[in-house]
Protein backbone atom coordinates (compact mmCIF):
# COMPACT_ATOMS: atom_id res chain seq x y z
CA UNK A 1 0.00 0.00 0.00
CA UNK A 2 1.06 3.56 -0.43
CA UNK A 3 -0.32 6.18 1.92
CA UNK A 4 1.61 9.23 0.88
CA UNK A 5 1.55 12.55 2.63
CA UNK A 6 4.36 14.25 0.81
CA UNK A 7 5.65 14.05 -2.72
CA UNK A 8 5.73 15.61 -6.12
CA UNK A 9 2.61 16.06 -8.17
CA UNK A 10 2.01 13.29 -10.65
CA UNK A 11 2.13 14.74 -14.16
CA UNK A 12 0.25 13.93 -17.29
CA UNK A 13 -3.04 15.71 -16.64
CA UNK A 14 -4.20 18.87 -18.28
CA UNK A 15 -6.06 21.56 -16.40
CA UNK A 16 -9.41 19.82 -16.57
CA UNK A 17 -8.68 16.36 -15.05
CA UNK A 18 -10.46 13.13 -15.95
CA UNK A 19 -10.46 9.32 -16.46
CA UNK A 20 -12.41 6.28 -17.92
CA UNK A 21 -13.80 2.70 -17.54
CA UNK A 22 -15.50 0.04 -19.75
CA UNK A 23 -18.75 -1.91 -20.14
CA UNK A 24 -19.71 -5.49 -20.80
CA UNK A 25 -22.73 -4.48 -22.80
CA UNK A 26 -21.21 -3.64 -26.15
CA UNK A 27 -20.98 -0.16 -27.71
CA UNK A 28 -21.19 2.86 -25.43
CA UNK A 29 -24.48 4.65 -25.01
CA UNK A 30 -25.11 7.57 -27.34
CA UNK A 31 -27.38 9.36 -24.88
CA UNK A 32 -26.85 13.09 -24.86
CA UNK A 33 -29.29 13.94 -22.09
CA UNK A 34 -29.17 12.60 -18.56
CA UNK A 35 -31.16 9.52 -17.71
CA UNK A 36 -31.87 10.49 -14.14
CA UNK A 37 -32.13 7.35 -12.05
CA UNK A 38 -34.78 7.19 -9.33
CA UNK A 39 -33.38 7.44 -5.82
CA UNK A 40 -32.58 4.09 -4.27
CA UNK A 41 -32.83 3.21 -0.63
CA UNK A 42 -29.53 3.33 1.23
CA UNK A 43 -28.60 0.58 3.61
CA UNK A 44 -26.95 1.60 6.85
CA UNK A 45 -23.29 2.06 6.03
CA UNK A 46 -20.22 2.70 8.12
CA UNK A 47 -18.88 6.26 7.90
CA UNK A 48 -16.46 6.68 4.98
CA UNK A 49 -12.88 6.13 6.17
CA UNK A 50 -10.20 8.81 6.10
CA UNK A 51 -6.48 8.74 6.77
CA UNK A 52 -4.85 10.11 9.86
CA UNK A 53 -3.39 13.62 9.48
CA UNK A 54 0.07 13.81 8.00
CA UNK A 55 3.15 15.34 9.64
CA UNK A 56 2.38 18.64 11.30
CA UNK A 57 -1.34 18.02 10.90
CA UNK A 58 -1.22 18.36 7.11
CA UNK A 59 -3.97 16.92 4.95
CA UNK A 60 -3.06 13.27 4.25
CA UNK A 61 -2.67 12.10 0.64
CA UNK A 62 -3.81 8.72 -0.71
CA UNK A 63 -2.48 7.46 -4.05
CA UNK A 64 -3.38 3.76 -4.24
CA UNK A 65 -4.40 0.76 -2.19
CA UNK A 66 -2.63 -2.40 -1.13
CA UNK A 67 -0.56 -4.12 -3.80
CA UNK A 68 -0.98 -7.56 -2.26
CA UNK A 69 -4.16 -9.49 -1.80
CA UNK A 70 -7.34 -8.96 -3.80
CA UNK A 71 -7.22 -7.71 -7.37
CA UNK A 72 -9.26 -4.55 -6.91
CA UNK A 73 -9.18 -1.25 -8.80
CA UNK A 74 -10.96 2.07 -8.23
CA UNK A 75 -12.13 4.10 -11.20
CA UNK A 76 -12.51 7.80 -10.51
CA UNK A 77 -14.04 10.46 -12.74
CA UNK A 78 -13.51 14.22 -12.46
CA UNK A 79 -16.57 16.36 -13.22
CA UNK A 80 -14.81 19.62 -14.07
CA UNK A 81 -16.23 23.04 -14.74
CA UNK A 82 -14.85 26.47 -13.96
CA UNK A 83 -16.79 29.53 -12.85
CA UNK A 84 -16.06 31.18 -16.21
CA UNK A 85 -17.51 28.39 -18.36
CA UNK A 86 -21.18 29.16 -17.80
CA UNK A 87 -21.57 31.05 -21.10
CA UNK A 88 -20.01 28.14 -22.98
CA UNK A 89 -22.48 25.74 -21.37
CA UNK A 90 -25.32 28.10 -22.23
CA UNK A 91 -24.12 28.07 -25.84
CA UNK A 92 -24.39 24.28 -25.97
CA UNK A 93 -20.99 22.98 -24.84
CA UNK A 94 -21.34 19.80 -22.78
CA UNK A 95 -19.40 19.63 -19.56
CA UNK A 96 -21.37 16.54 -18.51
CA UNK A 97 -21.35 12.97 -19.81
CA UNK A 98 -24.64 11.21 -18.97
CA UNK A 99 -23.86 8.41 -21.41
CA UNK A 100 -20.78 7.49 -19.40
CA UNK A 101 -22.75 7.44 -16.15
CA UNK A 102 -25.39 5.24 -17.81
CA UNK A 103 -22.64 2.91 -19.00
CA UNK A 104 -21.24 2.54 -15.48
CA UNK A 105 -24.74 1.78 -14.20
CA UNK A 106 -25.47 -0.76 -16.91
CA UNK A 107 -22.10 -2.42 -16.27
CA UNK A 108 -22.61 -2.31 -12.49
CA UNK A 109 -19.27 -0.56 -11.99
CA UNK A 110 -18.94 1.35 -8.71
CA UNK A 111 -17.01 4.60 -9.04
CA UNK A 112 -16.05 7.78 -7.24
CA UNK A 113 -16.96 11.08 -8.92
CA UNK A 114 -14.82 14.08 -7.97
CA UNK A 115 -17.20 16.93 -8.64
CA UNK A 116 -16.63 20.67 -8.75
CA UNK A 117 -19.24 22.84 -7.11
CA UNK A 118 -19.65 24.73 -10.37
CA UNK A 119 -20.56 21.46 -12.13
CA UNK A 120 -23.20 20.72 -9.49
CA UNK A 121 -24.60 24.24 -9.99
CA UNK A 122 -24.82 23.70 -13.75
CA UNK A 123 -26.20 20.14 -13.65
CA UNK A 124 -28.08 19.80 -10.35
CA UNK A 125 -30.39 16.99 -11.52
CA UNK A 126 -27.45 14.90 -12.70
CA UNK A 127 -25.45 15.66 -9.56
CA UNK A 128 -28.42 14.66 -7.40
CA UNK A 129 -28.93 11.46 -9.41
CA UNK A 130 -25.30 10.42 -9.08
CA UNK A 131 -25.38 11.13 -5.36
CA UNK A 132 -28.60 9.14 -4.92
CA UNK A 133 -27.18 6.02 -6.55
CA UNK A 134 -25.41 3.70 -4.06
CA UNK A 135 -23.16 2.55 -6.89
CA UNK A 136 -21.38 5.91 -6.69
CA UNK A 137 -19.90 8.30 -4.15
CA UNK A 138 -19.31 12.02 -4.66
CA UNK A 139 -16.12 13.74 -3.54
CA UNK A 140 -14.95 17.36 -3.56
CA UNK A 141 -12.93 18.69 -6.53
CA UNK A 142 -12.99 22.38 -5.48
CA UNK A 143 -15.61 24.91 -6.55
CA UNK A 144 -14.17 26.32 -9.79
CA UNK A 145 -11.29 23.98 -10.65
CA UNK A 146 -8.74 26.70 -10.00
CA UNK A 147 -5.29 25.55 -8.92
CA UNK A 148 -4.22 25.37 -5.29
CA UNK A 149 -0.60 25.95 -6.25
CA UNK A 150 1.18 27.36 -9.29
CA UNK A 151 2.21 26.56 -11.94
CA UNK A 152 -0.53 24.05 -12.72
CA UNK A 153 -1.30 23.60 -16.42
CA UNK A 154 -2.15 27.26 -16.85
CA UNK A 155 -5.04 27.23 -14.39
CA UNK A 156 -5.91 30.39 -12.45
CA UNK A 157 -4.78 30.10 -8.85
CA UNK A 158 -6.78 30.19 -5.61
CA UNK A 159 -5.17 32.39 -2.95
CA UNK A 160 -3.90 30.46 0.06
CA UNK A 161 -6.33 32.22 2.37
CA UNK A 162 -9.23 31.26 0.10
CA UNK A 163 -8.49 27.55 -0.34
CA UNK A 164 -10.54 26.34 2.59
CA UNK A 165 -13.53 28.51 1.68
CA UNK A 166 -13.32 27.34 -1.96
CA UNK A 167 -13.59 23.71 -0.89
CA UNK A 168 -16.42 24.60 1.50
CA UNK A 169 -18.24 26.42 -1.31
CA UNK A 170 -18.19 23.22 -3.38
CA UNK A 171 -19.72 21.31 -0.47
CA UNK A 172 -22.42 23.97 -0.21
CA UNK A 173 -23.23 23.50 -3.90
CA UNK A 174 -23.63 19.76 -3.31
CA UNK A 175 -26.08 20.43 -0.48
CA UNK A 176 -28.02 22.94 -2.58
CA UNK A 177 -28.35 20.40 -5.41
CA UNK A 178 -29.47 17.69 -2.97
CA UNK A 179 -26.40 15.50 -3.49
CA UNK A 180 -26.23 12.63 -1.03
CA UNK A 181 -23.57 9.96 -0.50
CA UNK A 182 -20.76 12.50 -0.32
CA UNK A 183 -17.41 11.41 1.09
CA UNK A 184 -14.71 13.48 2.87
CA UNK A 185 -12.19 13.28 0.04
CA UNK A 186 -10.64 16.09 -1.98
CA UNK A 187 -8.90 16.04 -5.34
CA UNK A 188 -6.72 19.03 -6.12
CA UNK A 189 -7.47 20.59 -9.52
CA UNK A 190 -4.89 19.35 -11.98
CA UNK A 191 -3.53 17.12 -9.20
CA UNK A 192 -1.35 20.06 -8.15
CA UNK A 193 -0.63 20.64 -4.46
CA UNK A 194 2.15 21.73 -2.16
CA UNK A 195 2.86 22.02 1.54
CA UNK A 196 0.86 25.25 1.84
CA UNK A 197 -2.27 23.74 0.28
CA UNK A 198 -2.03 20.63 2.46
CA UNK A 199 -1.87 22.88 5.51
CA UNK A 200 -4.69 25.15 4.30
CA UNK A 201 -7.16 22.28 3.90
CA UNK A 202 -6.17 20.45 7.09
CA UNK A 203 -9.03 21.95 9.19
CA UNK A 204 -11.55 20.40 6.78
CA UNK A 205 -10.37 16.92 7.87
CA UNK A 206 -10.49 15.50 4.38
CA UNK A 207 -8.18 13.00 2.72
CA UNK A 208 -6.61 14.23 -0.52
CA UNK A 209 -6.92 11.60 -3.25
CA UNK A 210 -4.44 11.37 -6.10
CA UNK A 211 -3.91 8.30 -8.33
CA UNK A 212 -1.31 5.90 -9.66
CA UNK A 213 -2.79 5.37 -13.15
CA UNK A 214 -3.30 8.31 -15.51
CA UNK A 215 -5.79 7.47 -18.25
CA UNK A 216 -4.69 10.28 -20.56
CA UNK A 217 -8.32 10.85 -21.57
CA UNK A 218 -8.19 14.63 -21.23
CA UNK A 219 -8.61 16.02 -24.77
CA UNK A 220 -7.79 12.58 -26.22
CA UNK A 221 -9.23 11.61 -29.60
CA UNK A 222 -8.27 7.92 -29.67
CA UNK A 223 -10.27 5.75 -27.24
CA UNK A 224 -8.06 2.72 -27.84
CA UNK A 225 -4.98 4.66 -26.74
CA UNK A 226 -6.77 5.68 -23.53
CA UNK A 227 -7.90 2.11 -22.87
CA UNK A 228 -4.43 0.71 -23.55
CA UNK A 229 -2.81 3.20 -21.19
CA UNK A 230 -5.18 2.24 -18.38
CA UNK A 231 -4.88 -1.50 -18.99
CA UNK A 232 -1.09 -1.28 -19.12
CA UNK A 233 -0.94 0.65 -15.84
CA UNK A 234 -3.43 -1.12 -13.58
CA UNK A 235 -2.08 -3.24 -10.74
CA UNK A 236 -3.85 -4.56 -7.63
CA UNK A 237 -5.00 -1.58 -5.57
CA UNK A 238 -4.73 0.91 -8.44
CA UNK A 239 -6.61 4.19 -8.50
CA UNK A 240 -7.36 5.41 -12.03
CA UNK A 241 -8.05 9.05 -12.89
CA UNK A 242 -10.46 9.88 -15.73
CA UNK A 243 -13.01 12.56 -16.66
CA UNK A 244 -16.78 12.65 -17.13
CA UNK A 245 -16.95 15.80 -19.25
CA UNK A 246 -17.74 15.37 -22.95
CA UNK A 247 -16.20 18.71 -23.82
CA UNK A 248 -12.76 17.93 -22.39
CA UNK A 249 -12.76 14.13 -22.61
CA UNK A 250 -14.85 13.08 -25.62
CA UNK A 251 -13.67 9.46 -25.92
CA UNK A 252 -13.82 8.35 -22.27
CA UNK A 253 -17.11 6.50 -22.60
CA UNK A 254 -15.83 4.45 -25.52
CA UNK A 255 -12.55 3.74 -23.72
CA UNK A 256 -14.46 2.56 -20.65
CA UNK A 257 -16.42 0.11 -22.80
CA UNK A 258 -13.10 -1.67 -23.43
CA UNK A 259 -11.49 -1.25 -20.01
CA UNK A 260 -14.20 -2.77 -17.82
CA UNK A 261 -14.67 -6.15 -19.54
CA UNK A 262 -10.94 -6.61 -20.01
CA UNK A 263 -10.12 -5.92 -16.37
CA UNK A 264 -12.91 -8.23 -15.30
CA UNK A 265 -11.51 -10.89 -17.61
CA UNK A 266 -8.20 -10.45 -15.78
CA UNK A 267 -9.95 -11.07 -12.46
CA UNK A 268 -10.23 -7.49 -11.20
CA UNK A 269 -13.11 -6.25 -9.09
CA UNK A 270 -14.18 -2.59 -9.18
CA UNK A 271 -14.46 -0.66 -5.91
CA UNK A 272 -14.86 2.94 -4.78
CA UNK A 273 -12.10 5.03 -3.24
CA UNK A 274 -13.68 4.58 0.19
CA UNK A 275 -13.35 0.82 -0.22
CA UNK A 276 -9.66 1.15 -1.13
CA UNK A 277 -8.95 3.35 1.87
CA UNK A 278 -10.91 1.08 4.21
CA UNK A 279 -8.96 -1.99 3.11
CA UNK A 280 -5.66 -0.10 3.24
CA UNK A 281 -6.35 0.87 6.84
CA UNK A 282 -6.96 -2.79 7.67
Amino acid sequence: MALTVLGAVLGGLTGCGGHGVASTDGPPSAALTPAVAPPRSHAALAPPPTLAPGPGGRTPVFEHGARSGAKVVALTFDADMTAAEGPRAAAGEHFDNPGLIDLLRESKVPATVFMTGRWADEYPAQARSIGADPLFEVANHSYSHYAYTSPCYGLPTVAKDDMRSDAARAAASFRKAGVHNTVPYFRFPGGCYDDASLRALAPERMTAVQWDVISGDAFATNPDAVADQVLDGVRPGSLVVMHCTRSAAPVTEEAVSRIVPELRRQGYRFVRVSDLIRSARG
Side-chain angles (χ1 to χ4, degrees), residues 7 15 19 77 87 91 122 127 142 158 180 197 200 203 218 237 260-262 266:
H19 329 358
F77 298 87
E122 186 70 27
S142 80
V158 178
H180 299 293
S197 53
V260 168
E262 176 56 26
Q266 295 177 22

Side-chain angles (χ1 to χ4, degrees), residues 15-17 77-83 85 95 113-124 127 138-146 148 166-167 169-174 177 179 186-190 244-245:
C16 70
F77 298 87
D78 291 356
D80 298 339
M81 190 171 182
T82 72
E85 288 173 337
F95 296 92
V113 178
F114 286 86
M115 190 180 293
T116 63
R118 183 63 186 86
W119 195 96
D121 288 347
E122 186 70 27
Y123 304 106
V138 176
N140 195 317
H141 193 34
S142 80
Y143 180 77
S144 292
H145 204 263
Y146 289 173
Y148 280 48
D166 181 75
R169 186 181 180 190
S173 290
F174 301 161
V179 179
F186 185 85
R187 174 164 284 163
F188 288 100
C244 55
T245 51

Side-chain angles (χ1 to χ4, degrees), residues 108-136:
K108 296 180 173 57
V109 175
T112 303
V113 178
F114 286 86
M115 190 180 293
T116 63
R118 183 63 186 86
W119 195 96
D121 288 347
E122 186 70 27
Y123 304 106
Q126 292 188 61
R128 186 164 54 251
S129 174
I130 292 169
D133 192 331
L135 196 64
F136 307 127

Side-chain angles (χ1 to χ4, degrees), residues 84-104:
E85 288 173 337
R88 289 165 56 183
E93 188 169 345
H94 295 286
F95 296 92
D96 62 340
N97 194 337
L100 172 61
I101 299 301
D102 285 346
L103 177 60
L104 295 172

Side-chain angles (χ1 to χ4, degrees), residues 10 20 63-67 71-75 211-216 224-241 258-259 262-263 266 268:
L10 297 176
E63 293 179 354
H64 61 77
R67 293 305 192 190
K71 294 179 74 173
V72 295
V73 57
L75 301 176
W211 53 82
D212 68 306
V213 178
I214 298 170
S215 68
D224 289 332
V226 173
D228 288 342
Q229 185 158 315
V230 172
L231 295 171
D232 289 346
V234 166
R235 299 163 58 193
S238 277
L239 204 161
V240 184
V241 59
R258 268 197 58 201
I259 295 165
E262 176 56 26
L263 286 179
Q266 295 177 22
Y268 279 92

